[in-house]
Amino acid sequence: MASPETTNQRLKRMAHDSVIYLPSMIVPAVVGILLLRVLTSLFTHEQYGHYTLALSTIGLIKAFSLIWLSSSAIRFYYKYYSQKLAHFFTSTLFIATLASSLFFALCAYLIVTFIFRPRISSDLYSVLLITILASIFVTVFEVFVVLFRAGLKPSKYSTYWLIYVVSKPLIGVFLILKFQMGAEGIFWGFLLAPFILNAIMLMD
């Protein structure tokens, strides 16, 4: 049984970490509300419909390509790191993440192209294509950022996650305002933000 001192230390660490994680839970909700207000003023009804469909598409791809990997990364992190197999763990995780993201992105592309393409507009098709491409970078980022949680690095996790959830819509809105890209601009933000952050994490 752990001594009272050890228990107190764990409770203090848990409270400390919870405070650090709190912004990463609250800010995405606030950003989502603000983004909804911005997009409804920028988009036509058709463009907003395209945005909603594309958002559902990337959510569906993530459900297949991402969730099982991020859960496994947290589950097995300490097992491999405690055995000094960190390089093997991260390289295997990277290959699995890349394979999963590419496979399900390809499946989505084939479904959209050969089943739905004749029934949807060219504008919606373009939005869905960039969304499918963005899902690859989103999956890689969201799998690897959880390693900071698994490694008990809440500050790094929260920092990267906050930059991620804020930069995606900012880049997207900038592209919409600057280049009149419509719904496609938002999903370029979904692509560029994790692409940049993935590169930074590799060097971290």
Side-chain angles (χ1 to χ4, degrees), residues 65-185:
S65 66
L66 169 63
I67 295 174
W68 65 280
L69 277 167
S70 59
S71 299
S72 299
I74 294 173
R75 169 69 178 80
F76 293 106
Y77 179 89
Y78 265 107
K79 176 181 178 180
Y80 286 93
Y81 271 68
S82 63
Q83 297 176 9
K84 302 183 188 290
L85 296 171
H87 178 71
F88 172 77
F89 175 76
T90 52
S91 60
T92 302
L93 181 63
F94 178 77
I95 292 170
T97 303
L98 197 59
S100 177
S101 62
L102 288 172
F103 175 76
F104 288 106
L106 177 61
C107 289
Y109 169 76
L110 294 174
I111 291 170
V112 168
T113 299
F114 293 103
I115 297 178
F116 294 109
R117 177 68 184 94
R119 307 170 189 174
I120 61 178
S121 68
S122 58
D123 287 343
L124 176 55
Y125 181 66
S126 296
V127 174
L128 291 176
L129 288 185
I130 189 62
T131 301
I132 291 168
L133 182 60
S135 72
I136 298 169
F137 298 97
V138 167
T139 297
V140 173
F141 173 79
E142 293 194 17
V143 167
F144 275 85
V145 77
V146 301
L147 294 183
F148 293 127
R149 284 176 54 197
L152 302 180
K153 299 174 182 177
S155 296
K156 279 195 172 183
Y157 172 82
S158 290
T159 298
Y160 275 105
W161 191 256
L162 289 173
I163 293 172
Y164 173 63
V165 298
V166 172
S167 61
K168 282 192 303 179
L170 284 179
I171 293 171
V173 171
F174 170 78
L175 293 173
I176 292 168
L177 294 174
K178 184 71 174 177
F179 302 105
Q180 290 78 48
M181 295 183 70
E184 191 175 337

Side-chain angles (χ1 to χ4, degrees), residues 22-37:
L22 190 60
S24 67
M25 302 294 108
I26 294 174
V27 171
V30 175
V31 169
I33 293 170
L34 294 175
L35 182 62
L36 179 64
R37 178 67 183 88

